[in-house]
Amino acid sequence: MDPQRIDALLGFLALADRLKTVERRGLVPLPDGTLRRENSAEHCWTIAVVALLLHREVAAETDLARVLSMLAVHDLVEVEAGDTYAYDPAGRATQVERELAAADIVFARLPPDLGPRLRALWEEFEAGETPEARFAMACDRTQGFLQNVLSGGRAWRDHGVALADTRPRMAPAEAVDPAFAALIGALYDRARQGGMFGEAPPA
Amino acid sequence: MDPQRIDALLGFLALADRLKTVERRGLVPLPDGTLRRENSAEHCWTIAVVALLLHREVAAETDLARVLSMLAVHDLVEVEAGDTYAYDPAGRATQVERELAAADIVFARLPPDLGPRLRALWEEFEAGETPEARFAMACDRTQGFLQNVLSGGRAWRDHGVALADTRPRMAPAEAVDPAFAALIGALYDRARQGGMFGEAPPA
């Protein structure tokens, strides 16, 4: 490897490292009983584990290498654009534009053979059209929901997210495969029984 | 999916979530200039990115799905056994035994079709004999070293880790492929030039 390529790879990895400082709204339960915010790097690892558990469970055959690659890179743009909360309409309104601008910065840091390849994985995830992208999306949303259940729904209540607010986000994941529907259905049961959802602020 | 299987998967994911609370010695630079310890979940995501960057760079052809799967599960036993610092001889002496006991607990939480499959990935990584396991090991060690360079070598100095102490750990990674040797060589240059290494305590 020539020095320029080495510099590019190490520079990209230094940039990617910042994903560990991008905080999500979801919370991680700590051994002492308190909660802290999950960061996007941790989230990206967890969804890989979800994908491993469900890969053979779903009917659609998917290329696991592409699924796991997509999951590893799907949030990289957040090192520039930050995490956008699923239930923040103002943030969601500008998300596509902000993340496109971020992608131009982030993937340009890579050598010309790698940048477009990783960007294509991100774009495939965002487009959500291939079986791999749909499977990856369902893993991503299942994990976000699970993280709320694991932390007793605290983030939902803090941000006034009611059960009905979560439906538009979770229904597409459930539609990917009955395995996701079953898992997400069980998580809804736990959340309801545990009184975990918040109350939507009055209109 | 039957309810028992759903319970097993959700129980396993709750257990796996604890990897986010397993702290490594490596440090993450924060936006305010301070450092905090990296956790094993973040580490596991970062090495997937390293693998994506280097997969086509190395001469040996490896099955990327198996590499990424192995990397996703290779530290799961730490939710029971904790992280063992590479430069802690006392911890290293009991590591195999502790992690084997942990594996019995962790993988037993999965349904019988999944537990042995994930455990086999962990065992393949640990054995380090297949091209996939060797590539994964090199990604793992490169990232650990990089994390120290990104944080100015603070953990090396705090724990009295000298350059020579790192050689037995890094030489096998460099031996996997010239691409790793080049990248790790560049990291050694930066670490040396930055005065990042510690001094071994007097014998």
Side-chain angles (χ1 to χ4, degrees):
Chain A
M1 256 194 296
D2 63 73
Q4 204 184 344
R5 187 170 181 85
I6 292 172
D7 280 353
L9 295 183
L10 294 179
F12 180 80
L13 287 169
L15 182 68
D17 197 65
R18 284 167 34 194
L19 204 60
K20 297 167 189 168
T21 69
V22 175
E23 292 192 332
R24 295 165 53 86
R25 301 293 175 102
L27 299 164
V28 176
L30 301 182
D32 67 3
T34 61
L35 302 165
R36 69 153 170 84
R37 287 172 74 169
E38 187 187 35
N39 68 58
S40 290
E42 298 169 322
H43 158 73
C44 287
W45 165 72
T46 316
I47 54 182
V49 177
V50 173
L52 286 185
L53 298 189
L54 295 178
H55 182 238
R56 296 195 192 180
E57 193 85 36
V58 303
E61 280 210 22
T62 54
D63 176 344
L64 183 60
R66 211 156 89 242
V67 167
L68 294 175
S69 300
M70 218 182 283
L71 292 175
V73 306
H74 87 291
D75 272 345
L76 275 174
V77 294
E78 293 183 3
V79 301
E80 288 292 326
D83 179 56
T84 304
Y85 189 39
Y87 307 109
D88 166 19
R92 302 288 281 184
T94 61
Q95 184 177 9
V96 170
E97 191 186 344
R98 284 183 293 111
E99 293 192 346
L100 271 172
D104 288 342
I105 297 169
V106 170
F107 297 114
R109 295 289 293 269
L110 285 167
D113 58 314
L114 280 172
R117 199 181 326 144
L118 265 63
R119 186 180 178 128
L121 288 165
W122 172 71
E123 286 173 348
E124 182 179 347
F125 179 85
E126 289 295 312
E129 283 162 7
T130 63
E132 283 77 10
R134 285 170 49 76
F135 178 71
M137 172 274 285
C139 292
D140 184 40
R141 296 193 183 179
T142 302
Q143 191 270 336
F145 199 94
L146 169 65
Q147 202 67 39
N148 275 297
V149 172
L150 289 177
S151 49
R154 173 70 181 277
W156 281 328
R157 292 193 305 281
D158 283 356
H159 300 287
V161 177
L163 187 154
D165 297 322
T166 66
R167 296 304 305 144
R169 186 155 178 85
M170 299 313 296
E174 292 169 66
V176 166
D177 191 273
F180 284 107
L183 214 55
I184 293 167
L187 289 169
Y188 267 108
D189 288 345
R190 293 183 187 194
R192 253 189 309 250
Q193 284 156 21
M196 294 184 190
F197 289 108
E199 281 177 42
Chain B
M1 257 195 297
D2 64 74
Q4 205 185 342
R5 187 170 181 85
I6 291 173
D7 279 353
L9 295 183
L10 294 179
F12 180 80
L13 287 168
L15 182 68
D17 197 66
R18 284 168 35 194
L19 203 60
K20 297 168 189 170
T21 68
V22 174
E23 292 192 332
R24 294 165 53 87
R25 300 294 174 103
L27 299 165
V28 176
L30 301 182
D32 67 2
T34 62
L35 302 166
R36 68 153 169 86
R37 288 172 74 170
E38 187 187 34
N39 68 58
S40 290
E42 298 169 323
H43 158 73
C44 287
W45 166 72
T46 316
I47 54 182
V49 177
V50 173
L52 286 186
L53 299 188
L54 295 178
H55 182 238
R56 297 196 190 180
E57 192 87 36
V58 303
E61 282 208 21
T62 54
D63 175 344
L64 183 59
R66 212 155 90 242
V67 168
L68 294 175
S69 300
M70 219 182 284
L71 292 175
V73 306
H74 88 290
D75 272 344
L76 276 174
V77 294
E78 292 183 4
V79 301
E80 287 291 326
D83 180 55
T84 305
Y85 190 39
Y87 306 109
D88 165 19
R92 301 287 282 184
T94 61
Q95 184 177 9
V96 170
E97 192 186 343
R98 284 183 294 112
E99 293 192 346
L100 271 172
D104 288 343
I105 296 169
V106 170
F107 297 115
R109 295 290 293 268
L110 284 167
D113 58 314
L114 279 170
R117 198 180 327 144
L118 264 65
R119 185 178 179 131
L121 288 165
W122 172 71
E123 286 173 349
E124 182 179 348
F125 179 86
E126 288 296 311
E129 283 163 7
T130 62
E132 282 77 10
R134 287 170 48 75
F135 178 71
M137 172 275 285
C139 292
D140 185 39
R141 296 195 184 177
T142 301
Q143 191 269 335
F145 199 94
L146 169 65
Q147 202 67 40
N148 275 297
V149 172
L150 289 178
S151 49
R154 172 71 180 274
W156 281 329
R157 292 193 305 282
D158 283 355
H159 300 287
V161 177
L163 187 154
D165 297 322
T166 66
R167 296 302 304 143
R169 187 157 178 85
M170 299 312 296
E174 292 168 65
V176 167
D177 190 274
F180 283 107
L183 213 54
I184 294 168
L187 288 170
Y188 267 109
D189 287 345
R190 293 182 188 196
R192 253 189 309 253
Q193 283 157 20
M196 294 184 190
F197 288 109
E199 281 177 41

